[in-house]
Amino acid sequence: MSNIYEVLLQSIHISAICIMILILKWLLADKLSPKWQYGVWLVLIISILLPYKLSKYIIPALVLPFEIIKTNIEKGINSSFIGVYEPLNAEHIFPIIISKPTSITDWLFVIYVCGILAYLLWHLIAYMRLRLTLKKGALASTDSLSAVRFKYNLKACKVVEVDGLESAFICGILNPILVIPKGQEIDEKIILHELLHLKYKDPMQNVFWCILRSLHWINPFIHYVFNRIANDMESRCDQRVLVQHHRCR
């Protein structure tokens, strides 16, 4: 993407695909397992990772209105990022600033790029602050963790207790930490749930989804869809907990 029109075209194109996926999930709600409720989002991944130049054939009717709008707007403002009669191709999924901005539409594209960087920086800072906070947490007893780990043949990780938490969670990819509420008895299934997140690389998937979300930070509907994806990931992990628990009974 090299101009604001390609950004908006890509965003609306992805929104249309999201709507189709949501309708499909609604129609098949009682027929798809949590595994497939989450797996169907692979279509969205492919659509986002493919440049619009390659994926435009899924919904070809979108490009013509954008070409008309772009031509009418650009006739009198002399942009550097797009010519008046230059076709919209969106050959890249990541934005590229090709020259110095000279028009309002050029500057809108620059703002969009800055928004991506700010979004990713905000999440990086939040993660670093969380890790610093966890360093101050007390190491928790690993007896219950060890029992679950050996029972279900899962990898161990560092366990930290923190005051004020509502539930346990896994933090980190390279050096993961299981964070649990301080002073609370943690159910075996909760520990199993978090260790299965670790086993199936769900934290890494969350980072991947965050990067894709940043590309569409201007679209609140796509943010809603990514929240749905996060819920489906949790449901899939809950299903894995039930399967593992049943096998080891």
Side-chain angles (χ1 to χ4, degrees):
M1 297 181 287
S2 58
N3 57 76
I4 194 64
Y5 304 101
E6 292 179 348
V7 171
L8 296 175
L9 179 59
Q10 180 82 344
S11 185
I12 292 177
H13 174 71
I14 295 301
S15 296
I17 291 174
C18 287
I19 290 172
M20 290 190 294
I21 294 174
L22 290 172
I23 291 173
L24 177 65
K25 284 166 62 65
W26 175 71
L27 292 174
L28 301 176
D30 58 343
K31 297 179 178 64
L32 293 177
S33 68
K35 174 183 176 180
W36 287 106
Q37 287 283 353
Y38 181 72
V40 75
W41 293 113
L42 179 62
V43 176
L44 177 61
I45 295 176
I46 295 172
S47 301
I48 293 178
L49 294 181
L50 280 178
Y52 184 75
K53 181 179 182 180
L54 300 177
S55 62
K56 64 184 178 181
Y57 302 105
I58 301 175
I59 312 175
L62 281 178
V63 69
L64 181 58
F66 270 88
E67 291 283 5
I68 294 172
I69 293 170
K70 182 264 297 180
T71 301
N72 288 330
I73 292 175
E74 293 297 324
K75 278 181 179 178
I77 61 176
N78 192 28
S79 296
S80 296
F81 295 170
I82 185 72
V84 177
Y85 301 107
E86 183 180 339
L88 298 172
N89 272 328
E91 297 180 352
H92 311 282
I93 64 168
F94 296 104
I96 300 173
I97 297 178
I98 58 177
S99 61
K100 183 179 178 180
T102 57
S103 69
I104 186 170
T105 54
D106 289 347
W107 280 109
L108 286 174
F109 182 71
V110 172
I111 292 171
Y112 162 75
V113 174
C114 291
I116 293 177
L117 299 177
Y119 185 91
L120 293 174
L121 181 62
W122 182 82
H123 278 276
L124 178 60
I125 292 173
Y127 172 74
M128 292 174 67
R129 290 179 62 187
L130 177 59
R131 295 292 294 205
L132 289 174
T133 300
L134 296 182
K135 283 186 177 181
K136 300 175 184 178
L139 290 176
S141 170
T142 58
D143 292 343
S144 56
L145 174 68
S146 298
V148 174
R149 181 170 67 87
F150 285 116
K151 181 177 179 180
Y152 297 100
N153 192 27
L154 296 169
K155 290 183 178 180
C157 66
K158 183 179 177 181
V159 186
V160 171
E161 288 183 324
V162 176
D163 280 322
L165 288 183
E166 294 183 0
S167 62
F169 65 91
I170 288 285
C171 176
I173 298 173
L174 298 178
N175 297 298
I177 301 173
L178 174 59
V179 188
I180 60 176
K182 189 173 183 178
Q184 295 185 23
E185 181 101 18
I186 306 299
D187 186 81
E188 175 187 302
K189 289 183 180 178
I190 294 177
I191 296 176
L192 177 58
H193 179 100
E194 298 306 325
L195 291 181
L196 286 174
H197 272 314
L198 193 58
K199 177 180 179 179
Y200 290 98
K201 313 297 183 185
D202 287 346
M204 188 176 295
Q205 292 183 50
N206 283 330
V207 172
F208 174 72
W209 288 119
C210 180
I211 293 172
L212 294 188
R213 188 193 286 251
S214 72
L215 296 175
H216 297 276
W217 67 268
I218 60 173
N219 190 329
F221 173 67
I222 293 182
H223 283 280
Y224 160 77
V225 169
F226 279 114
N227 291 338
R228 287 285 301 267
I229 292 170
N231 290 336
D232 286 344
M233 179 187 287
E234 290 299 321
S235 297
R236 184 187 65 166
C237 195
D238 287 339
Q239 182 193 36
R240 286 171 173 161
V241 168
L242 294 175
V243 171
Q244 291 286 340
H245 188 68
H246 179 74
R247 285 177 180 173
C248 294
R249 289 179 61 181

